[in-house]
Amino acid sequence: MSKQPPTDVTREQAEEAVRTLLRWAGEDPSREGLLDTPKRVVKAYGDWFSGYLSDPGEYLRRTFKEVAGYDEMVVLRDIEFESHCEHHMAPIIGRAHVGYLPTNRVVGISKLARVVDGFARRFQVQEKLTAEIAQCIQENLHPAGVAVVIDASHECMSTRGVHKRGVSMVTSQMLGSFRDDARTRMEFLQFIGIGRGVR
Ligand SMILES: [Zn+2]
């Protein structure tokens, strides 16, 4: 990526930090196979953490108002995302399901996926990621309600620590009518498969 992240750390300093971690792990960073590793890692960071360069709310400011009176729930399910936990800098891999109840504004569905990515491509905790996505949609679209459910596995749990694979964590944030009205909430959960017990 060409855009510079909002930081005063130079690329050289970042690459040097990678060399330090390699030495800490017991490696020799001057070994041939590792020579380009710092450069690659820094480049990968540009991708994994590109969310710091984005303003996810921006994606929602272009809305489509012509919906011919459509005032039912809009749900985008199974939005795959990759994030990193802020405690171990380890990957969080999961899916987000996003729903909202439009009042008079709807957005192109790809925009909801971009909002998810904008927050996921940062250091995160899953609860915060869930809440940030919901808040962003609420504040920018002003719908009657927003629902976000995230189902993700945390590599800091599967590859280290307790070493438990196949465990996923589910978090949800319900705002407005999804929080206040059990039927709306149930309809959303059925749409995304949780109410039926399948995914
Ligand atoms: Zn972690």
Side-chain angles (χ1 to χ4, degrees), residues 85-90 154-157 160:
C85 85
E86 67 181 33
H87 301 133
H88 303 92
M89 297 163 70
H154 293 238
E155 292 200 2
C156 60
M157 187 178 170
R160 58 162 291 288

Side-chain angles (χ1 to χ4, degrees), residues 73-81 94-100 109 112-113 115-116 126 129-131 133-134 137 146-152 168-174 178 185 187-196 198-199:
M73 194 177 294
V74 177
V75 178
L76 194 60
R77 61 185 181 188
D78 293 327
I79 308 167
E80 293 184 333
F81 71 86
R95 288 156 188 255
H97 313 283
V98 176
Y100 68 100
I109 51 171
L112 295 175
V115 170
V116 170
Q126 189 175 324
L129 175 62
T130 312
I133 294 166
I137 296 167
V146 180
V148 177
V149 169
I150 291 182
D151 183 346
S168 71
M169 176 170 161
V170 180
T171 47
S172 76
Q173 177 81 64
M174 305 281 164
F178 290 87
R185 185 165 59 245
E187 187 183 347
F188 170 73
L189 294 174
Q190 278 171 354
F191 271 144
I192 67 171
I194 285 183
R196 300 194 299 270
V198 292
R199 287 189 58 233

Side-chain angles (χ1 to χ4, degrees), residues 42-62:
V42 168
K43 192 158 182 262
Y45 261 50
D47 200 351
W48 291 332
F49 304 108
S50 59
Y52 293 107
L53 294 171
S54 77
D55 169 10
E58 191 68 38
Y59 301 122
L60 301 178
R61 272 164 224 144
R62 240 197 81 181

Side-chain angles (χ1 to χ4, degrees), residues 113-186:
R114 287 187 187 282
V115 170
V116 170
D117 279 341
F119 288 113
R121 290 179 186 171
R122 302 174 187 209
F123 289 105
Q124 277 292 3
V125 291
Q126 189 175 324
E127 295 88 337
K128 182 163 73 113
L129 175 62
T130 312
E132 283 179 341
I133 294 166
Q135 281 298 339
C136 179
I137 296 167
Q138 184 64 44
E139 282 165 17
N140 287 283
L141 285 189
H142 306 292
V146 180
V148 177
V149 169
I150 291 182
D151 183 346
S153 59
H154 293 238
E155 292 200 2
C156 60
M157 187 178 170
S158 58
T159 66
R160 58 162 291 288
V162 292
H163 293 272
K164 290 288 173 256
R165 301 254 179 109
V167 178
S168 71
M169 176 170 161
V170 180
T171 47
S172 76
Q173 177 81 64
M174 305 281 164
L175 301 177
S177 49
F178 290 87
R179 178 184 282 259
D180 301 334
D181 181 351
R183 284 175 54 194
T184 303
R185 185 165 59 245
M186 191 51 65

